[in-house]
Amino acid sequence: MDISSINPVLLIASLMVAATPILLAAIGELVVEKAGVLNLGVEGMMITGAIAGFAAAVETGSPFVGFVAAAAGGAALSMLFVLLTQFALANHVASGLALTLFGLGLSALIGQSYGGVKPPPIGKLDLGPLSDLPVIGPILFSQDLVVYLGIALVAAVWALLKFTRAGLVLRAVGESHDAAHALGYKVVRIRILAILFGGACAGLGGAYISLVRVPQWTDGMTAGVGWIALALVVFASWRPWRVLLGAYLFGGITVLQLNLQAAGVAIPVEYLAMSPYIITIVVLVILSADKNKAPASLGRIFHASQ
Amino acid sequence: MIVLEKRPQPSRAWSLATPVLAVVATMVFGGLLFALLGKNPVEAIRTIFWDPLFGEFAFYYRPQLLVKGAPLVLIAIGLSLGFKAGIWNIGAEGQYIMGAICGAAVGLAFYPLDAWYVFPLMVLGGALGGWAWAMIPGILKVRFGTNEILVSLMLVYVAEQLLASMSLGLLKNPEGFGFPGSRNLNDYPSASSWISQDLGMHWGVVAAFIAVIFAYVLLNRHMAGFHIRLTGDAPRAARFAGVHPGRLILFCLGVSGALAGLAGLFEVAGPAGQITIDFNTGYGFTAIIVAFLGRLHPVGILLAGGLMALTYIGGEAAQSQMALPAAAIQVFQGMLLFFLLALDLLTNYRLRLKTREVA
């Protein structure tokens, strides 16, 4: 075993890549949960986005079109969640599970003819001398654009929730849908928009896995990242910047265990591979004392007649 | 304009009718999906739902119904208890794997001893394995308030890695010429769960029927069952009635874990035969659909388990005869859950046509 073969700069640069799918999905889910909706279908929307983006990118040869299609695919699947929870008033937990089961099947069905295909590569930022700087260059100035998009989304969501009227209304709907309704806000409409945003973000995250991180298509390739993203929202106590922190933490663990596998540490591969999931549980336990930060109407069904 | 009006009482008639309606709607939309894939929809639906029961080769398929249905019913019965009380164990797949690993390990430890007590000990091991795996989210939930949905699901991935490790390491067949996977328990009569392979009867089928009866009695004739239903319908009232929420959580998760573990053990000691890397086939997740399709009612779950087993068997038949992709069946099963949840609206609400009034 040779731990010194792990380069810390490359480790940090690649943990940002590993963290991006979780980050995108989690920031979308944060907005959804802030609106008082618990969408457990993140995994299903991610995998749908992954195949939609992959298929579109392969067919058109453009990763950009791929990401747009992925966002559309994730949002389209979340529309089913809208129908179930906002119009058919179904239980949020059960509907989210349905979304995940359905998404996994649907993606496998669409993905049949895409096994073993290579997607078009995505361009990296190149700022000339800045990107060539030692240490900071590879970390800050030569990632692909989606990594920056993820960080920008976190900043945008934070600003939206903190400084704008729209953010205030969104939070009001999440804290007390009855009060928001009485004030004349369109509870259902606002929640639909939030759910669609969450779906689009999850789709982007999924496509990042299939187009950049892996990059190829295999069935069920998101492998629980959607669920980790859900855990991350709890971990972050519904605060955007903490989502970023948490995503990088999980990204770091993922990359580190892969590096340890490659370096041939004496721990069997299977035990290293289960570490991100175990650490998720541990973190959940440590932070579950902080429950009162959850939006008060989270997961409750709203019907104007009641 | 259509307006929803809440019913004072959930409608009994609709509550029985919605699962049937959902199945019909799934057949219609599933048929459309098959047509989109270029298959004859009528033939596909017939291959999946009719031929295995009444077709030419029904004698081969009917026993399979028991083999596939037993683990689904067994797991779904356990899940339904928790779902009724608002305790969401969605990691049954992991508990199923752990039950199989623990049970098989007990059996393999006794190999090649021929004794009557080997199989009962394996059953015990399987139940304990599943129970212990479900106790992790249970204890964390009671002690720290950790979300049981996320923890139980994370543990599925951990269990899958453990399964890989076991089939490549500790439980690997020493005479297996280096191939991954344990000894085949079907070659070890004292550890086999088969009663009659021709009839598809194994002890898991028996256990599933016993579980249905027990769950029915528990829910309808026993205080614990009343507490479960009360907690689901009115958590605050349950607290006043003296229900201890922590104990209830541990009970529901423990029972569902033990039943999922049993399902895993009966599977590994019978139809599957050995511990391999890809031993688990998603029964733990499909069982969630079974539980809802059966309206969380034991008898309903029995029927739903049969129907879902039919989609597995018919799906395989359609795969070999019509080249229908396996994933299409998965989509089909997912669709069923969608329609169920959507149509459930009619149980609790009345649709009324109304002209828009000034508020």
Side-chain angles (χ1 to χ4, degrees), chain A residues 87-262:
Chain A
F87 295 113
L89 309 179
N91 179 304
H92 288 196
V93 174
S95 307
L97 289 176
L99 208 62
T100 292
L101 293 173
F102 183 73
L104 285 170
L106 185 69
S107 63
L109 187 62
I110 302 171
Q112 282 183 96
S113 47
Y114 291 98
V117 183
K118 267 201 104 52
I122 183 168
K124 297 214 169 195
L125 185 69
D126 188 6
L127 295 175
L130 270 181
S131 301
D132 295 334
L133 284 176
V135 185
I136 334 176
I139 295 175
L140 288 183
F141 300 115
S142 41
Q143 303 280 3
D144 56 70
L145 292 175
V146 185
V147 172
Y148 302 111
L149 173 72
I151 301 169
L153 263 179
V154 172
V157 166
W158 169 74
L160 178 96
L161 290 175
K162 196 168 168 80
F163 299 117
T164 69
R165 189 178 168 76
L168 196 62
V169 172
L170 185 88
R171 274 156 49 204
V173 168
E175 290 298 337
S176 168
H177 47 217
D178 293 325
H181 176 70
L183 284 170
Y185 296 125
K186 305 285 183 199
V187 173
V188 173
R189 197 175 299 166
I190 291 161
R191 286 192 167 164
I192 290 173
L193 289 175
I195 294 169
L196 288 178
F197 176 76
C201 286
L204 282 178
Y208 193 77
I209 298 179
S210 65
L211 287 176
V212 183
R213 184 136 159 71
V214 176
Q216 59 170 7
W217 168 256
T218 46
D219 282 357
M221 68 184 305
T222 44
V225 170
W227 294 102
I228 294 185
L230 276 164
L232 196 59
V233 179
V234 181
F235 161 85
S237 354
W238 292 269
R239 287 189 206 141
W241 289 113
R242 281 224 217 161
V243 167
L244 185 75
L245 183 78
Y248 282 172
L249 187 73
F250 285 113
I253 293 159
T254 313
V255 172
L256 191 65
Q257 63 96 356
L258 287 174
N259 273 302
L260 287 175
Q261 282 185 26

Side-chain angles (χ1 to χ4, degrees), chain B residues 163-176:
Chain B
L163 177 70
S165 156
M166 288 298 153
S167 55
L168 295 171
L170 272 180
L171 297 183
K172 195 165 97 172
N173 184 356
E175 292 154 18

Side-chain angles (χ1 to χ4, degrees), chain A residues 32-39 81 84-95 171-181 187-188 191 195 294-304 306, chain B residues 88 235 349:
Chain A
V32 177
E33 291 193 10
K34 273 285 183 192
V37 179
L38 181 64
N39 186 353
F81 186 82
L84 284 178
T85 57
Q86 302 305 308
F87 295 113
L89 309 179
N91 179 304
H92 288 196
V93 174
S95 307
R171 274 156 49 204
V173 168
E175 290 298 337
S176 168
H177 47 217
D178 293 325
H181 176 70
V187 173
V188 173
R191 286 192 167 164
I195 294 169
S297 288
L298 186 59
R300 279 174 46 208
I301 295 158
F302 172 73
H303 184 230
Q306 287 161 339
Chain B
W88 300 92
Y349 291 86

Side-chain angles (χ1 to χ4, degrees), chain B residues 31-117:
Chain B
L32 280 176
L33 172 79
F34 299 149
L36 279 177
L37 292 168
K39 314 286 176 201
N40 179 347
V42 179
E43 200 192 327
I45 297 288
R46 208 197 59 219
T47 312
I48 296 172
F49 289 100
W50 183 264
D51 286 356
L53 290 179
F54 308 109
E56 200 183 335
F57 298 103
F59 65 90
Y60 168 74
Y61 290 121
R62 276 184 210 149
Q64 286 291 314
L65 210 59
L66 292 177
V67 171
K68 303 266 186 209
L72 288 175
V73 171
L74 209 49
I75 302 172
I77 287 283
L79 293 182
S80 70
L81 297 181
F83 288 179
K84 256 190 197 299
I87 298 160
W88 300 92
N89 172 14
I90 59 170
E93 185 81 0
Q95 293 138 22
Y96 172 84
I97 294 173
M98 293 313 286
I101 291 178
C102 293
V106 171
L108 292 169
F110 281 108
Y111 182 87
L113 178 76
D114 181 28
W116 63 268
Y117 52 79

Side-chain angles (χ1 to χ4, degrees), chain B residues 49-249:
Chain B
F49 289 100
W50 183 264
D51 286 356
L53 290 179
F54 308 109
E56 200 183 335
F57 298 103
F59 65 90
Y60 168 74
Y61 290 121
R62 276 184 210 149
Q64 286 291 314
L65 210 59
L66 292 177
V67 171
K68 303 266 186 209
L72 288 175
V73 171
L74 209 49
I75 302 172
I77 287 283
L79 293 182
S80 70
L81 297 181
F83 288 179
K84 256 190 197 299
I87 298 160
W88 300 92
N89 172 14
I90 59 170
E93 185 81 0
Q95 293 138 22
Y96 172 84
I97 294 173
M98 293 313 286
I101 291 178
C102 293
V106 171
L108 292 169
F110 281 108
Y111 182 87
L113 178 76
D114 181 28
W116 63 268
Y117 52 79
V118 173
F119 189 66
L121 282 179
M122 287 169 67
V123 172
L124 206 63
L128 276 177
W131 174 81
W133 208 240
M135 272 303 105
I136 301 174
I139 290 171
L140 292 181
K141 167 108 181 163
V142 173
R143 182 77 186 74
F144 302 104
T146 315
N147 185 320
E148 81 279 15
I149 301 177
L150 294 170
V151 175
S152 64
L153 198 101
M154 288 292 133
L155 287 172
V156 174
Y157 295 96
V158 176
E160 279 179 349
Q161 295 296 336
L162 261 179
L163 177 70
S165 156
M166 288 298 153
S167 55
L168 295 171
L170 272 180
L171 297 183
K172 195 165 97 172
N173 184 356
E175 292 154 18
F177 307 104
F179 283 106
S182 71
R183 274 181 209 281
N184 197 320
L185 291 169
N186 285 332
D187 302 336
Y188 178 22
S190 293
S192 175
S193 67
W194 285 113
I195 299 171
S196 158
Q197 205 153 350
D198 297 331
L199 297 176
M201 271 305 277
H202 62 79
W203 284 107
V205 180
V206 179
F209 280 107
I210 295 175
V212 168
I213 296 166
F214 261 88
Y216 185 84
V217 174
L218 179 82
L219 285 172
N220 292 295
R221 295 278 177 275
H222 197 275
M223 199 61 182
F226 174 70
H227 283 166
I228 288 173
R229 285 186 296 153
L230 185 62
T231 307
D233 291 342
R236 253 172 73 83
R239 291 290 285 271
F240 290 128
V243 178
H244 194 295
R247 234 173 273 163
L248 193 77
I249 290 167

